[in-house]
Amino acid sequence: MREIRIGERMIGDNHVPFIIAEMSGNHNGDIRRALELVKAASDAGAHALKLQTYTADTITLNHTGGLFDITDIHSLWYRKNLHQLYQEAHTPWDWHKEIFDYANSLGMIAFSSPFDESAVDFLMNLDVPAFKIASFESNHFPLLKKVAQTGKPILISSGTSKLNELYESVKYLKDNGAREIVIFKCTSTYPATPENTNLNTIPVFQSIFEDCVIGLSDHTMGIGASVAAVALGARVIEKHFTLRRSDGGVDSAFSLEPEELKALVNETETAFLALGRVQLDTQKSEEKSRQFKRSIYVSKDIKAGETLTVDNIRVVRPGDGLEPKYYDEILGKKVKIDVKFGTPLTLETLI
């Protein structure tokens, strides 16, 4: 059984899905909005709030040209360079404690994704209960080593990684002391489409990373992919969220609104509970309903010695008569006694 603990919450195969609300840059540079997002996530029932801890300078160079420029016209961040994007999207480090404290006061677990070693030190000083490794950082071995050596639970996304690369990163985490790991199936397109989400990867991940909990970092619109992921074994779901997509922001286009986040919490729990166990027989809860199955009833008065025909017996509800599998067998047989309309037929009635 795969199981880990983050804070006071157990996460794993036999526990309801752990829902992480990812704030990212949807605070739009306003601490008051950031705190509104925390409250909205709590009201929606999210179990955890996650930030991203970086500055533009800790994640890239202030440089233009080549891959530093975002030239894909389909990108949400077209015509920015990386430094501009991260300058706009980052969460100021001096906000972290207030945000974390507020989330904790509302009963949520709060943690972050560090993007360099200095962010790990900063977050350790805030006593975060876990670390998330973003998809684009999964090959950042100095960061992986630093995080692993903290001994905290680690969540790592698979986006952009080939299997051998992901396997190597997870092994490196373990070799450096990590013991509790969540691996997210993730598609690093923004937004992701259902067609490129490939949730059937989840049980394959479970078979490869046997001692890890598997989750989904979901960049699709809506909650359908996340609910389906739970049915396939995911026990942690991470989704970006905002107050209103119409408010704009770097991640708003593929973020959930509060009502949708609440639906995500409810529907993933429903999906988990509905999985239940393997059930091959009638359940105790169904016993009373068996009376509404069909059985053979007398549909006209029949005198003793008369023959059963298609005109005087029928297969109807309720289910306290002879089972319908005997129908063809008893046609043409005679009854021992008078049988009135509406009587359930039994073998003892027949000659």
Side-chain angles (χ1 to χ4, degrees):
M1 180 179 68
R2 292 165 288 259
E3 186 175 77
I4 70 170
R5 178 187 292 274
I6 296 181
E8 296 302 313
R9 192 173 186 93
M10 297 305 298
I11 299 165
D13 293 346
N14 295 329
H15 302 278
V16 298
F18 183 67
I19 307 301
I20 302 169
E22 164 67 79
M23 183 185 296
S24 187
N26 285 327
H27 49 68
N28 295 352
D30 184 345
I31 181 64
R32 292 169 300 178
R33 180 181 172 88
L35 296 175
E36 286 181 39
L37 283 162
V38 175
K39 182 64 164 60
S42 173
D43 290 345
H47 307 119
L49 177 91
K50 193 180 79 65
L51 303 182
Q52 296 179 5
T53 306
Y54 63 85
T55 67
D57 291 324
T58 66
I59 203 169
T60 191
L61 302 176
N62 191 2
H63 187 68
T64 58
L67 291 177
F68 287 95
D69 293 333
I70 302 170
T71 58
D72 180 359
I73 62 172
H74 301 294
S75 171
L76 298 174
W77 311 298
Y78 177 54
R79 288 184 173 167
K80 296 180 186 289
N81 68 27
L82 294 180
H83 197 273
Q84 290 170 329
L85 169 62
Y86 300 134
Q87 182 63 36
E88 177 183 345
H90 85 287
T91 301
W93 291 23
D94 58 0
W95 292 5
H96 279 54
K97 186 177 188 306
E98 184 175 0
I99 291 171
F100 285 170
D101 287 348
Y102 187 43
N104 292 155
S105 74
L106 296 174
M108 283 192 295
I109 293 167
F111 65 107
S112 187
S113 297
F115 285 73
D116 80 320
E117 298 93 319
S118 69
V120 178
D121 290 332
F122 172 75
L123 292 168
M124 284 295 288
N125 286 332
L126 296 178
D127 197 26
V128 294
F131 290 98
K132 162 74 189 301
I133 302 296
S135 290
F136 298 135
E137 305 304 315
S138 64
N139 68 342
H140 188 341
F141 273 44
L143 175 63
L144 298 187
K145 183 176 183 179
K146 181 88 171 179
V147 169
Q149 290 177 339
T150 69
K152 304 271 189 179
I154 297 170
L155 304 86
I156 182 169
S157 279
S158 69
T160 73
S161 291
K162 298 177 181 178
L163 178 59
N164 66 300
E165 294 170 334
L166 179 63
Y167 189 90
E168 186 178 34
S169 295
V170 172
K171 182 178 184 302
Y172 189 75
L173 287 171
K174 292 178 178 178
D175 288 346
N176 283 279
R179 294 292 175 264
E180 296 182 299
I181 300 175
V182 174
I183 299 174
F184 284 116
K185 172 66 184 77
C186 178
T187 299
S188 293
T189 57
Y190 307 91
T193 65
E195 293 82 0
N196 69 16
T197 300
N198 298 314
L199 295 179
N200 280 325
T201 309
I202 289 171
V204 177
F205 275 0
Q206 287 183 323
S207 68
I208 295 170
F209 303 102
E210 295 180 350
D211 57 347
C212 298
V213 175
I214 307 302
L216 176 69
S217 182
D218 183 8
H219 297 136
T220 64
M221 301 297 293
I223 68 173
S226 291
V227 174
V230 170
L232 287 167
R235 290 296 176 267
V236 186
I237 302 294
E238 178 186 57
K239 281 286 261 186
H240 289 243
F241 83 108
T242 188
L243 296 176
R244 286 289 175 260
R245 283 185 288 274
S246 60
D247 293 343
V250 292
D251 294 337
S252 62
F254 58 93
S255 297
L256 296 181
E257 296 183 351
E259 298 84 358
E260 296 166 321
L261 182 59
K262 183 174 183 178
L264 174 69
V265 174
N266 293 337
E267 294 306 316
T268 52
E269 181 169 346
T270 297
F272 168 78
L273 295 173
L275 290 173
R277 57 177 175 81
V278 175
Q279 176 226 325
L280 302 176
D281 294 315
T282 302
Q283 298 185 77
K284 186 175 181 180
S285 61
E286 295 177 302
E287 286 295 338
K288 287 186 178 180
S289 295
R290 285 180 62 82
Q291 65 186 312
F292 300 112
K293 291 175 73 74
R294 293 204 179 214
S295 66
I296 303 173
Y297 262 73
V298 174
S299 57
K300 289 182 180 178
D301 291 346
I302 308 175
K303 297 291 186 182
E306 285 188 5
T307 300
L308 299 180
T309 70
V310 295
D311 294 321
N312 57 25
I313 60 170
R314 285 183 58 196
V315 175
V316 296
R317 298 182 186 184
D320 55 342
L322 195 61
E323 291 183 62
K325 66 183 180 180
Y326 294 107
Y327 182 80
D328 288 340
E329 182 181 334
I330 65 174
L331 283 174
K333 293 189 179 295
K334 298 185 178 190
V335 296
K336 299 176 182 176
I337 57 174
D338 292 352
V339 189
K340 291 195 171 296
F341 167 81
T343 300
L345 197 63
T346 65
L347 287 174
E348 290 73 26
T349 311
L350 307 181
I351 297 175

